[in-house]
Amino acid sequence: MKLQIAIDLATTEKAVEMVSLIHDVIDIVEVGTPLIMREGMHPVRTLKAMFPGVTILADTKIVDGGDIEAGDAFDAGADIVTVLAVADDATLDAVVGAARKVGREVMADMICVPRQARRAADLDKMGIDYVCVHTGVDVQARGVSPLHDLDEVKGVLQKSKAAVAGGISMKTIQAVKIIGPDVVVAGGSLTRAADLRAAVIEMKNAIRN
């Protein structure tokens, strides 16, 4: 399993500061949607230039204009872009096509998808690299967990890798580990830690040992 840190509530400068502490121990650095909404592709471009060996995911949540928007993110240095699984198949195909042109990857975000296993099977056939079961922040507030859907989604994937996001912390990591996704996405539980590097190492050890 790989560990992905979601950097949402930060500036480019703060993101650089955080990644400088963990670039040698983190697997994937996500430039989160809130940061992209505020600063565009600038944080993606800056992080890739400063840390060329780090896998950068741009959480673009593309829903239309797949070729254009994915292309812009890849041009900025993103190794992986996200597209919403609820988008039309034509958009998903366009994002995958844009990724294949430059040898990059695509993660489909399953947020708000009602029949997750069925859609995951479709995405698998489309050539999506990662299918991410994602319980959004607003839904987490109601006590909803992504684990049930993750188990079902993982069961139908044949080629795509499974990822999970939504309230992942050291309190939930053992339950996640039992299901065994390929990528574990953690945000606030890492970025708000008093010692970021120690928190990343602790979680990484938990999912691998």
Side-chain angles (χ1 to χ4, degrees):
M1 283 184 279
K2 292 184 177 180
L3 180 59
Q4 174 176 319
I5 184 172
I7 302 177
D8 292 320
L9 304 178
T11 61
T12 297
E13 291 73 20
K14 182 62 176 177
V16 167
E17 179 184 326
M18 287 192 285
V19 177
S20 68
L21 297 172
I22 60 171
H23 64 92
D24 58 329
V25 292
I26 195 68
D27 297 304
I28 303 170
V29 170
E30 172 189 330
V31 179
T33 309
L35 180 50
I36 289 175
M37 290 289 287
R38 288 192 297 268
E39 301 192 25
M41 287 295 109
H42 175 59
V44 174
R45 191 173 291 107
T46 300
L47 288 171
K48 194 61 182 180
M50 295 188 69
F51 308 99
V54 174
T55 299
I56 303 294
L57 179 145
D59 193 14
T60 43
K61 289 189 174 69
I62 297 167
V63 73
D64 190 23
D67 184 65
I68 297 169
E69 296 189 8
D72 286 344
F74 291 136
D75 286 346
D79 299 289
I80 308 169
V81 299
T82 64
V83 58
L84 292 181
V86 296
D88 192 90
D89 287 358
T91 299
L92 287 151
D93 286 338
V95 175
V96 171
R100 299 298 173 259
K101 288 177 186 176
V102 291
R104 310 289 174 79
E105 294 185 305
V106 178
M107 179 181 285
D109 189 326
M110 296 285 281
I111 195 168
C112 295
V113 172
R115 296 178 181 85
Q116 300 228 343
R118 182 184 299 179
R119 187 54 169 161
D122 293 339
L123 297 171
D124 188 73
K125 293 174 184 176
M126 289 178 175
I128 295 292
D129 300 287
Y130 303 93
V131 175
C132 184
V133 176
H134 181 191
T135 300
V137 173
D138 296 337
V139 178
Q140 287 175 46
R142 301 203 305 264
V144 179
S145 162
L147 297 186
H148 174 71
D149 288 331
L150 173 63
D151 194 34
E152 290 194 344
V153 164
K154 192 171 184 297
V156 303
L157 297 180
Q158 296 183 21
K159 296 180 180 179
S160 302
K161 296 177 181 178
V164 63
I168 306 299
S169 68
M170 289 304 298
K171 293 180 180 179
T172 60
I173 199 63
Q174 290 305 318
V176 172
K177 185 178 177 180
I178 290 170
I179 301 172
D182 299 281
V183 178
V184 176
V185 184
S189 64
L190 296 179
T191 59
R192 291 195 297 266
D195 186 330
L196 174 60
R197 184 177 176 86
V200 167
I201 292 173
E202 181 184 25
M203 186 169 288
K204 194 169 181 179
N205 286 339
I207 65 176
R208 293 191 173 179
N209 299 324

